[in-house]
Amino acid sequence: MKALTAPMGWNSWDCYGTAVTEETVRRNAEFMAENLKQYGWEYIVVDIQWYEPMAATHEYHPFTDLIMDEYGRLLPAENRFPSAKDGKGFGPLADYVHSLGLKFGIHIMRGIPRQAVHRNVQIKGTDKRAREIAKTASICAWNTDMYGVDSSKEGARAYYDSLFELYASWGVDFIKCDDIARELPHEEEEMVMLSRALRDCGRDMVLSLSPGPALLEKAELYKETANMWRITDDFWDKWELLYDMFSRAEKWCTHTGAGNWPDADMLPIGPLRQDYDTSDWTKFTEDEQVTMLTLWGIFRSPLMIGGEMTGFDPFTMSLLTNEGILGMHRDARHSHQVWRKEIGGIEHILWTAAGAKGGRYIAIFNAGEEDSTVKIPLSDLELYEKVTGYELWSGEKFTEADCICASLKKHGAKAYFLE
């Protein structure tokens, strides 16, 4: 559970919501292995409701029947994940993902299924029952599947131990735990208990907390318990949400690194919302997508692809395989906003970061509604000699420059490495 670099992978939510299937997961894993693994992309994550037989869209079915074992542990619905039959769970699917050289992850909800509490099932390895550990007043505001678990009750930790024992036996490498990051301090003790159970399960797993916005004043707690945590609610393909991310990233940038990654959420690119319309495509312009990858890159957010990868066009692939941007994502250190101001009546935002192997990264963003040209004095970066470098997206080089001059599209960005 170290995650020394910000995790990079794919998550099924943006394109399939609750309706993800084994066939979908295998198809996208194969695509990643063939086309993106060599660039550092490695996680394949099955998002919410994999244990619900009737899930069909992004919508939830209140109080629906779930698939679980005799100990109240949720299991994959076999009609959607046929390799889970005969009690094999996600083991065969994880094995397949691993055979491609990738890592496998699942989404879970905080707590214990209400269904398990109503049936008062036994907690594995104990004489305790589900009703004895459930915190029935602790419920999710948007999903009816679970009750919280009361960490003060005997058997509560044993329940979480049994969960991670199961996930470890399946070969899970990544856990996205939902209904936990923004509920603090009410659910703080359950977060700590869950984290300790994961750490003690005998298998290394990345722990991601959702949804956001996470609480800035609890940053050190997130660092102690998890590898990544959402700094926003669900992020979708709307400029207003991308514009808002600049202020969130500025607030959280000092907490990025050393195995801890504030998470700006998934990249809604390519084919999205396939459970509703197979022709749906991201509403972000190409320039907005460049801005998103540039900001996520210099901020070093985890990078989780949201689209159906087999439908990507050449432009989308160019976003995910640009070695300069991915190198910035890997090697940037001490990233921060330098300034945010109007130039020529247009709002611009400047970020910088040190390079892990020397040099300096710079990202300049046009947050306005018109194209612009901006000159950045080197003194703004506390540099006082001419510099040599190149623009990361285009590869265009410059030598002995006494300022950085960038032509930017509306909602566009450029990034530079100064050698």
Side-chain angles (χ1 to χ4, degrees):
M1 191 176 149
K2 294 181 179 178
L4 296 181
T5 57
M8 298 169 55
W10 173 86
N11 179 291
S12 61
W13 173 255
D14 282 1
C15 48
Y16 292 102
T18 71
V20 61
T21 65
E22 181 168 349
E23 189 276 331
T24 297
V25 175
R26 286 176 177 260
R27 180 176 68 238
N28 279 275
E30 291 161 1
F31 183 92
M32 179 177 286
E34 182 176 352
N35 299 283
L36 293 173
K37 181 175 69 173
Q38 62 267 41
Y39 296 96
W41 301 91
E42 59 177 346
Y43 288 98
I44 296 291
V45 182
V46 179
D47 211 88
I48 196 167
Q49 304 301 123
W50 42 265
Y51 36 78
E52 182 193 340
M54 303 304 294
T57 66
H58 274 73
E59 308 304 321
Y60 300 114
H61 297 145
F63 307 107
T64 190
D65 287 335
L66 310 176
I67 305 300
M68 70 179 191
D69 69 9
E70 67 269 34
Y71 302 115
R73 301 179 300 180
L74 295 171
L75 302 174
E78 293 179 15
N79 64 316
R80 296 167 55 202
F81 297 91
S83 69
K85 66 182 180 180
D86 301 323
K88 295 176 182 176
F90 273 131
L93 182 53
D95 287 345
Y96 182 69
V97 171
H98 293 154
S99 76
L100 299 173
L102 303 174
K103 296 180 180 179
F104 179 72
I106 60 173
H107 173 289
I108 66 172
M109 293 291 290
R110 170 185 65 85
I112 186 169
R114 296 189 189 195
Q115 184 174 290
V117 177
H118 298 161
R119 297 178 187 176
N120 203 24
V121 302
Q122 182 181 354
I123 305 303
K124 187 175 187 288
T126 76
D127 60 358
K128 302 302 177 183
R129 296 276 172 174
R131 291 177 190 167
E132 296 178 70
I133 69 167
K135 188 188 293 185
T136 56
S138 175
I139 58 176
C140 178
W142 43 267
N143 183 289
T144 60
D145 292 343
M146 314 294 276
Y147 289 129
V149 171
D150 188 340
S151 63
S152 69
K153 298 297 179 64
E154 186 178 351
R157 170 62 192 266
Y159 176 72
Y160 270 113
D161 285 341
S162 75
L163 287 183
F164 288 104
E165 175 187 57
L166 181 64
Y167 304 153
S169 74
W170 288 345
V172 173
D173 306 296
F174 183 106
I175 295 288
K176 175 183 174 181
C177 184
D178 217 333
D179 190 39
I180 200 165
R182 70 180 176 204
E183 302 301 322
L184 295 176
H186 182 55
E187 308 305 345
E188 185 172 320
E189 294 178 353
E190 188 170 2
M191 175 190 288
V192 172
M193 179 173 60
L194 181 152
S195 175
R196 289 174 178 170
L198 183 152
R199 292 172 187 267
D200 293 342
C201 77
R203 182 175 180 83
D204 191 31
M205 302 182 198
V206 168
L207 178 58
S208 168
L209 305 180
S210 287
L215 307 178
L216 189 60
E217 65 270 21
K218 292 292 183 176
E220 298 307 319
L221 176 64
Y222 299 127
K223 293 178 186 178
E224 292 172 7
T225 54
N227 303 105
M228 47 190 278
W229 54 91
R230 286 262 297 278
I231 62 174
T232 178
D233 205 336
D234 285 3
F235 177 79
W236 283 102
D237 46 339
K238 299 178 181 179
W239 167 249
E240 295 78 12
L241 297 179
L242 179 52
Y243 179 80
D244 179 64
M245 197 63 67
F246 285 101
S247 61
R248 295 181 186 276
E250 180 190 11
K251 293 174 183 176
W252 280 100
C253 64
T254 58
H255 298 286
T256 296
N260 303 119
W261 310 106
D263 178 13
D265 201 16
M266 287 180 281
L267 303 169
I269 55 177
L272 304 175
R273 298 169 286 261
Q274 299 296 285
D275 48 323
Y276 291 117
D277 181 359
T278 56
S279 68
D280 190 84
W281 191 266
T282 182
K283 303 303 186 293
F284 278 140
T285 67
E286 291 188 356
D287 293 303
E288 288 166 350
Q289 291 175 70
V290 167
T291 286
M292 177 172 59
L293 265 293
T294 303
L295 179 59
W296 270 236
I298 197 166
F299 174 57
R300 290 199 294 168
S301 169
L303 299 178
M304 285 290 170
I305 299 164
E308 166 59 61
M309 291 188 287
T310 62
F312 283 173
D313 63 3
F315 173 78
T316 307
M317 288 300 296
S318 74
L319 293 172
L320 304 177
T321 59
N322 184 291
E323 294 181 348
I325 294 297
L326 295 177
M328 177 174 70
H329 179 255
R330 181 183 61 249
D331 294 334
R333 298 292 186 273
H334 315 300
S335 305
H336 62 277
Q337 180 178 296
V338 178
W339 45 247
R340 182 172 187 167
K341 60 185 178 182
E342 285 195 2
I343 301 174
I346 298 173
E347 183 179 16
H348 293 82
I349 304 167
L350 178 66
W351 276 66
T352 189
K357 303 170 185 176
R360 178 83 72 91
Y361 289 103
I362 299 169
I364 179 68
F365 304 91
N366 175 350
E369 299 304 313
E370 298 177 9
D371 297 351
S372 68
T373 298
V374 60
K375 290 185 177 181
I376 305 167
L378 295 183
S379 59
D380 285 6
L381 304 164
E382 298 186 275
L383 299 174
Y384 302 101
E385 297 180 359
K386 293 182 178 182
V387 295
T388 297
Y390 58 95
E391 203 277 319
L392 299 181
W393 287 107
S394 65
E396 183 179 352
K397 297 181 179 179
F398 55 86
T399 59
E400 297 296 311
D402 56 11
C403 71
I404 304 297
C405 184
S407 295
L408 300 167
K409 296 291 187 179
K410 163 189 170 181
H411 299 174
K414 288 190 175 179
Y416 300 87
F417 181 68
L418 308 184
E419 298 169 332

